């Protein structure tokens, strides 16, 4: 499989750009205000508000059970909210839940395709479901096959495709009707890293065509690919903005990366020191064979750590300040 | 409602049915097997009940009596035994279902008209064949006594017809031989056509289980369009059964279709609409295929047996249950099929039941569509 970014003349920007439509060009792709959903005593989504601009990839991040799928279902009009407003492309979803469906695409969790049907039969069905027929249907199917790199596999049973192929077929099916916004619910869950990479390349190609993408994920490394993102935890948004904005907002300090012998013993020493308030640090985490430390005073902390480790006869290999990853940021935000 | 949406769902569903040989067999051939099986298993005719005889009289008269009761195909003479112990052994081993004990004074008592010394021992764990043997022996014994009496009367110069003052002639219209199968099979069709209804419930539950239902709901296909589009292919398949079953019944079981085949076909389509709507309703409310299957026995097959009047006459049901039975499509349809097969009723007599089926179908589909969204 080829995971280099591809350019393709058949899907050029002008012919298929729906955002150039004359109606309501000023509306954001999505505007959510104080959206709330309760299941009995449990508040799955708790007064969340955010906006998605046209043409951006908006990431909706959070651990499993944080309320991501519930939010998507409400936005698509599949689930009635208890409170709040939702506008998709300027249309009020609560007033007319079905009204926006022809203009949006949806790829639900587990790539909901019919495994007993062939690739082509799946595409034909979803195309017809969105009202495509005859030549236009065949044209759009050809474009989707091209995009998903599924040419020559039209007559394979969908259940026999590997995860990566099925994922791209599901995306192809979701964009057949040329939606202006597409919603992807955990599109990369359970897919190998190479396929994940290729999938993000596909998303960038769609963005170039003017499509807006709303994507949920629990992979932190994918968050860096998004233009803007919201981090949701227990139904609430705890961080919102571009990756660099979030890093600036949420990191009250810098990160020290420590390489040493016997890192687990070193962890014990450092945690004990932190408990006795002998270390000016806010967080200590084991990162593979490394230890990451968040601190407002990197210089003082670094000296203290070097001293502590040598007292305990642990050989220090290196200690340096590093750029925080989003994962560092979210762990900091979640424990805050 | 857009026909393009309905058609898209229908085409897809037909592909599923054709691709999955299991479904195809379930929907088309199981009903045929079911008919064969049920028609044989549920036949109420009891024949060839095995009977042992313990004859203490050992007279020509008692032997003549035994010969008379075991003539024909109702009772089979297993043989003569010598003791009660032997009777018990044979009953326990299941080699006989009943035993006849003839008292030592049989011939004498018959001659002097003192009542016959007869005892019938039956296997109480099989009351049906036992009761049948008792009835049969009692009837034959009565005839035997009447004949002996008539002989004596004749010798005295009295007209023996005085012995049978009542003479009722019975004619069974529409089913001259009173063959139970003639009555059973039209009713059975309504239960057998429950299979396509089960399949549509499973198909809907399958989509829910595999997450494709959520994907479908996000498309512009409406709830009603989805339900109708899903129902149509099973309606077509059901119509194949509608034709196949009576052909089989006529060719194999020698059933007569007295009424119009066309009327039967059209009203069966109405019934299929009603029963498939019930299936759809099940599919909407059940979270998984397993629960849909379980509930289908409760609302499609079980009431089909007990409430639709196929096996137990409707008039014998309590008022409340009879009312409930009227909400099951099987009840009016059992009346319709029997009416067309046996007395050749037409639409003039059957229309109230057709209205009932239409009402049920619209009601079930309506409730299903109404609750569909909340039950994603």
């Amino acid at each position: 499989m080829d995971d280099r970014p591809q350019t393709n003349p058949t899907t050029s920007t002008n012919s298929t750009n729906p955002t150039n439509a004359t109606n309501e060009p000023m509306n954001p792709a999505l505007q959510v205000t104080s959206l709330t959903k309760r299941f009995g005593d449990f508040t799955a989504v708790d007064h969340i508000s955010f906006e998605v601009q046209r043409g951006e990839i908006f990431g909706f991040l959070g651990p499993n059970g944080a309320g991501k799928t519930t939010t998507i279902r409400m936005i698509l009009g599949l689930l009635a909210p208890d409170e709040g407003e939702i506008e998709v492309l300027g249309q009020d979803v609560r007033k007319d839940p079905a009204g926006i469906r022809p203009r949006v695409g949806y790829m639900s969790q587990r790539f909901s395709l019919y495994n007993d049907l062939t690739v082509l039969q799946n595409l034909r069905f979803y195309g017809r479901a969105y009202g495509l027929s005859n030549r236009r249907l065949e044209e759009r199917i050809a474009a989707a096959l091209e995009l998903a790199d599924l040419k020559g596999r039209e007559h394979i049973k969908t259940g026999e495709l590997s995860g990566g192929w099925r994922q791209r077929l599901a995306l192809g099916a979701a964009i057949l009707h040329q939606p202006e916004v597409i919603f992807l619910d955990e599109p990369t869950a359970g897919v190998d890293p190479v396929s994940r990479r290729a999938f993000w390349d596909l998303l960038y190609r769609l963005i170039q065509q003017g499509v807006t993408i709303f994507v949920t994920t629990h992979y932190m490394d994918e968050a860096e690919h998004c233009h803007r993102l919201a981090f949701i935890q227990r139904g609430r948004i705890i961080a919102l903005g571009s990756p660099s904005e979030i890093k600036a907002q949420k990191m009250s300090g810098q990160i020290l990366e420590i390489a040493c012998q016997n890192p687990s013993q070193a962890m014990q020493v450092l945690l004990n020191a932190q408990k006795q308030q002998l270390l000016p640090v806010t967080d200590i985490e084991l990162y593979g064979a490394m230890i990451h430390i968040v601190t407002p005073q990197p210089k003082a902390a670094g000296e203290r750590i070097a001293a502590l480790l040598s007292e305990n006869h642990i050989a220090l290999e290196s200690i340096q300040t590093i750029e925080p990853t989003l994962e560092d940021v979210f762990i900091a935000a979640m424990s805050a | 409602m857009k026909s393009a949406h309905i058609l898209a769902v229908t085409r897809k569903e037909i592909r599923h049915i054709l691709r999955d040989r299991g479904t195809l067999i379930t929907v088309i051939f199981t009903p045929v097997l079911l008919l064969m099986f049920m028609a044989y298993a549920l036949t109420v005719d009891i024949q060839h009940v095995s009977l042992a005889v313990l004859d203490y009289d050992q007279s020509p008269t008692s032997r003549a009596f035994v010969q008379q009761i075991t003539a024909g195909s109702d009772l089979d003479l297993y043989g003569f035994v010598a003791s009660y112990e032997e009777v018990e052994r044979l009953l326990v081993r299941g080699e006989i279902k009943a035993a006849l004990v003839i008292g030592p004074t049989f011939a004498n008592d018959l001659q002097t008209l003192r009542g016959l010394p007869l005892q019938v021992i039956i296997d109480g764990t099989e009351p049906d064949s036992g009761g049948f043997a008792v009835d049969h022996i009692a009837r034959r014994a009565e005839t035997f006594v009447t004949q002996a009496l008539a002989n004596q009367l004749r010798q005295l110069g009295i007209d023996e017809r005085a012995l049978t003052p009542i003479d009722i002639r019975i004619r069974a219209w529409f089913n001259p031989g009173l063959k139970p199968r003639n009555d059973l099979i039209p009713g059975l069709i309504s239960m057998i056509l429950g299979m396509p209804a089960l399949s549509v419930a499973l198909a809907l539950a399958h989509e829910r289980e595999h997450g494709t239902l959520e994907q479908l709901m996000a498309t512009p296909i409406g709830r009603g369009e989805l339900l109708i589009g899903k129902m149509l292919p099973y309606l077509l398949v059901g119509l194949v059964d509608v034709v196949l079953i009576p052909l089989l019944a006529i060719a194999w079981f020698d059933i007569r279709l007295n009424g119009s085949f066309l009327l039967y076909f059209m009203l069966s389509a109405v019934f299929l609409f009603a029963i498939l709507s019930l299936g759809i309703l099940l599919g909407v409310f059940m979270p998984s295929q397993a629960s849909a299957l379980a509930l289908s026995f409760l609302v499609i097959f079980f009431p089909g047996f007990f409430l639709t009047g196929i096996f137990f006459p409707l008039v014998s049901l309590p008022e409340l249950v009879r009312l409930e039975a009227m909400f099951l499509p099987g009840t009016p349809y059992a009346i319709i099929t029997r009416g067309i097969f046996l007395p050749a009723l037409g639409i003039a007599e059957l229309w109230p039941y057709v209205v009932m089926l239409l009402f049920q179908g619209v009601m079930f589909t309506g409730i299903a569509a109404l609750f569909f969204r909340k039950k994603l």
Side-chain angles (χ1 to χ4, degrees), chain B residues 210-371:
Chain B
H210 287 75
T212 46
L213 189 61
E214 173 161 344
Q215 190 74 52
L216 266 180
M217 299 295 267
T219 71
I221 294 177
R223 284 175 274 168
E225 291 164 345
L226 175 58
L227 295 184
I228 291 173
K230 253 194 141 43
M231 223 191 285
L232 278 178
Y234 294 93
L235 186 72
L236 293 179
V237 172
L239 288 177
V240 174
D241 289 328
V242 164
V243 174
L244 225 53
I245 292 169
L247 287 184
L248 188 75
I250 291 164
W252 196 274
F253 295 109
D254 207 17
I255 305 292
R256 274 195 302 167
L257 175 62
N258 293 326
S260 148
F261 187 82
L262 186 68
L263 183 69
Y264 158 78
F265 184 80
M266 290 191 312
L267 299 192
S268 296
V270 177
F271 167 71
L272 275 173
F273 164 62
I275 193 92
L276 288 175
S277 299
L278 186 58
I280 284 280
L281 191 63
L282 278 185
V284 164
F285 278 92
M286 291 295 101
S288 69
Q289 294 192 83
S291 52
L293 185 65
L295 196 65
S296 74
F297 278 98
L298 220 59
V299 305
I300 296 178
F301 295 107
F302 187 74
F305 265 104
F306 295 105
L307 301 182
T308 55
I310 298 176
F311 298 114
F312 304 103
L314 269 185
V315 285
S316 71
L317 297 174
E319 187 81 27
L320 201 68
V321 179
R322 222 185 312 167
L323 202 69
E324 187 195 328
M326 282 299 146
F327 281 94
L328 298 167
T331 312
Y333 187 64
I335 297 171
I336 288 172
T337 42
R338 279 180 176 165
I340 296 177
F341 268 78
L342 300 172
L345 298 186
I347 193 73
E349 295 88 2
L350 295 174
W351 70 266
Y353 303 105
V354 181
V355 171
M356 223 184 270
L357 286 177
L358 283 172
F359 168 74
Q360 291 171 350
V362 170
M363 183 181 69
F364 293 143
T365 310
I367 297 175
L370 212 63
F371 284 89

Side-chain angles (χ1 to χ4, degrees), chain A residues 276-288:
Chain A
Q276 294 158 31
Q277 301 190 319
L278 301 172
L279 261 183
V281 301
T282 50
D283 197 32
I284 305 172
E285 294 283 338
L286 197 58
Y287 252 68

Side-chain angles (χ1 to χ4, degrees), chain B residues 103-121:
Chain B
T105 56
F106 183 79
N108 195 33
D109 286 354
L110 185 69
Q111 196 63 38
T112 54
L113 297 175
R114 240 185 276 159
L116 298 182
L118 293 177
Q119 184 184 40
V120 181
I121 297 165

Side-chain angles (χ1 to χ4, degrees), chain A residues 69 72-73 76-80 97-98 101-102 104-118 121 124-126 128-131 157 174 185, chain B residues 2 4-5 7-13 15-17 19-20 206-223 226 230 373-374 376:
Chain A
T69 299
I72 279 205
R73 284 182 173 172
L76 288 167
L78 298 174
L79 188 69
R101 285 184 197 153
V104 302
Y106 176 39
M107 182 175 153
S108 60
Q109 267 176 341
R110 299 192 286 161
F111 334 134
S112 306
L113 299 160
Y114 297 98
N115 287 337
D116 57 330
L117 302 186
T118 66
Q121 285 166 347
R124 286 223 173 103
F125 170 65
Y126 281 113
R128 289 193 182 110
Y130 283 95
K157 255 196 191 181
D185 195 4
Chain B
K2 272 196 194 158
H5 286 164
L7 209 65
V9 177
T10 300
R11 284 171 91 145
K12 170 189 85 77
E13 207 61 35
R15 290 211 187 283
H16 286 311
I17 295 175
R19 198 159 278 275
D20 179 15
H206 182 271
E207 294 234 21
R208 188 191 315 279
E209 255 178 354
H210 287 75
T212 46
L213 189 61
E214 173 161 344
Q215 190 74 52
L216 266 180
M217 299 295 267
T219 71
I221 294 177
R223 284 175 274 168
L226 175 58
K230 253 194 141 43
R373 221 180 105 203
K374 292 183 183 161
L376 188 69

Side-chain angles (χ1 to χ4, degrees), chain B residues 157-176:
Chain B
I158 299 170
D159 188 349
E160 77 235 42
R161 270 178 299 178
L163 282 173
T164 48
I166 302 164
D167 182 12
I168 298 175
R169 307 280 161 102
I170 299 168
R171 293 283 177 275
W173 284 13
F174 315 127
N175 182 10

